[in-house]
Amino acid sequence: MTPSHDRDDRDPHPHTSRVRLREALANLPSYKPGRSAAGSSSADAGPVFKVSSNENPYPPLPGVLEVVEEASRSMNRYPDMFATGLVDAIARRFDVPAAHVATGTGSVGVLQQVIQACAAEGDEVIYPWRSFEAYPIVVGISGARSVRVPLTVDARHDLEAMRDAITERTRLVLVCSPNNPTGPAVHHDEMVEFLKDVPDDVLVVVDEAYREFVRDARAVDGLALYRRYPNICVLRTFSKAYGLAGLRVGFAFAHDDVADALRKTAVPFGVSGVAQAAAVESLNREAELMQRVESLVKERSRVQEALRAQGWRIPHTEANFIWLELGEETDHFAEKCGEAGLIVRPFGGEGCRISVAEPEANDLLIRIAAEWRG
Ligand SMILES: *Cc1c(COP(=O)(O)O)cnc(C)c1O
């Protein structure tokens, strides 16, 4: 047989191949880059605010930038593979054994490690829906089946229905609190009740990406659950409250065997030395960072109240974003926002998620929302 590279009838600039890709990927969305605010301006040439990714609007603290610069001097070297310094700092900060901490490239990276560790073809992963967009993707990549349980009418997890969805094939249940993109937190007592009915060989992941923004005392405390239940894994991130979204560093609390599995499924050297150093320094400067979080929480209340006064029905949010249920008007509203310089995140046919950001961006949202109703 003639190897194909010897034939001369090949397209000299091929775009596709005949490579056999895994079937599990066929149903996954292809990457569509989001719009960025950089270098753009609105129709009326005012500033453009990107409030579509729940990022922290504050620039990095000078002290964090300093350690980043220092760490970048050794970027010719591989980082500490197990992020020992960071793991120790997290373990001290949260009073857990270092063996119970696993890190990854953002908490989405850690979630992928969790799913790789627990689920594959033939298994089922239960999660609420609508919830975090990454869930169907990471589950899909694993080959496991997504079992989506619709939210309640007030945009909260339906834990009873999630419990009823558990079968012999269930390997994982994902709980997102506060829920992205709708905002409500799961309540602690609801979770304790739910866990009574979850088999102890099923891992329950509590994704607390917005934990630092939670003010409701009834909200689930993932760390407390982890201390009590061996089948709980808590996901946390430096991306939101700590303002390190661009550096990709997240972590999990889990018991020995699970945490060990998360280290096995991690991308080797995934968390860069720069990211490790910035995360450690962010823990050192937590008090300062949490003042910023407090300002965002105050802005959240202000925006929520202003929009409700305009007549909007908004699910109670414990995160750094607001959910506007717009149904068929979703894309139209997002377009109007875009024209005015506010880049929001539309979920076609359902609603828009808008991050609480700097006061100017929040004022702009309040203005656009008022005009929309007027
Ligand atoms: C933003 C977010 C994350 C964090 O993602 P990183 O990978 O840590 O940047 C995780 N879960 C949810 C629900 C989120 O909204």
Side-chain angles (χ1 to χ4, degrees), residues 126 147-152 157-166 194:
I126 297 172
V147 178
R148 298 178 181 193
V149 176
L151 297 175
T152 64
H157 285 42
D158 187 342
L159 289 173
E160 274 179 40
M162 288 174 73
R163 177 198 63 200
D164 293 343
I166 295 174
F194 172 69

Side-chain angles (χ1 to χ4, degrees), residues 106-108 132 135 176 180 207 209-210 237 239-240 248:
S107 56
V108 173
F132 187 30
Y135 296 162
C176 188
N180 177 0
D207 183 344
Y210 303 97
T237 181
S239 294
K240 308 283 161 58
R248 313 309 304 129

Side-chain angles (χ1 to χ4, degrees), residues 229-248:
Y229 300 89
N231 61 325
I232 286 275
C233 171
V234 180
L235 297 185
R236 303 281 290 262
T237 181
F238 284 98
S239 294
K240 308 283 161 58
Y242 296 88
L244 301 181
L247 285 182
R248 313 309 304 129

Side-chain angles (χ1 to χ4, degrees), residues 63-236:
V64 173
L65 277 178
E66 258 166 54
V67 300
V68 160
E69 196 182 51
E70 182 57 33
S72 73
R73 291 179 203 282
S74 49
M75 66 184 165
N76 53 314
R77 305 288 178 189
Y78 286 106
D80 173 352
M81 183 157 166
F82 295 109
T84 323
L86 174 57
V87 164
D88 288 345
I90 292 169
R92 273 196 310 276
R93 164 65 182 83
F94 296 100
D95 191 24
V96 302
H100 287 193
V101 177
T103 59
T105 55
S107 56
V108 173
V110 184
L111 178 63
Q112 194 148 16
Q113 290 157 234
V114 174
I115 291 176
Q116 295 276 297
C118 296
E121 261 90 6
D123 298 330
E124 292 175 355
V125 179
I126 297 172
Y127 51 85
W129 200 252
R130 160 112 9 222
S131 190
F132 187 30
E133 305 143 81
Y135 296 162
I137 298 169
V138 288
V139 173
I141 291 169
S142 76
R145 196 169 81 83
S146 279
V147 178
R148 298 178 181 193
V149 176
L151 297 175
T152 64
V153 285
D154 45 358
R156 307 186 69 243
H157 285 42
D158 187 342
L159 289 173
E160 274 179 40
M162 288 174 73
R163 177 198 63 200
D164 293 343
I166 295 174
T167 72
E168 286 284 296
R169 291 171 184 262
T170 306
R171 290 290 170 276
L172 267 174
V173 180
L174 309 182
V175 170
C176 188
S177 182
N179 188 53
N180 177 0
T182 58
V186 172
H187 293 168
H188 198 80
D189 56 354
E190 295 176 312
M191 267 307 276
V192 170
E193 203 53 39
F194 172 69
L195 287 166
K196 284 183 185 156
D197 297 321
V198 178
D200 63 4
D201 61 352
V202 170
L203 187 69
V204 177
V205 173
V206 186
D207 183 344
E208 291 192 311
Y210 303 97
R211 170 77 217 173
E212 299 81 1
F213 297 93
V214 171
R215 294 295 178 269
D216 183 352
R218 289 168 306 172
V220 66
D221 179 348
L223 202 50
L225 287 182
Y226 137 85
R227 293 190 204 280
R228 179 165 158 198
Y229 300 89
N231 61 325
I232 286 275
C233 171
V234 180
L235 297 185
R236 303 281 290 262

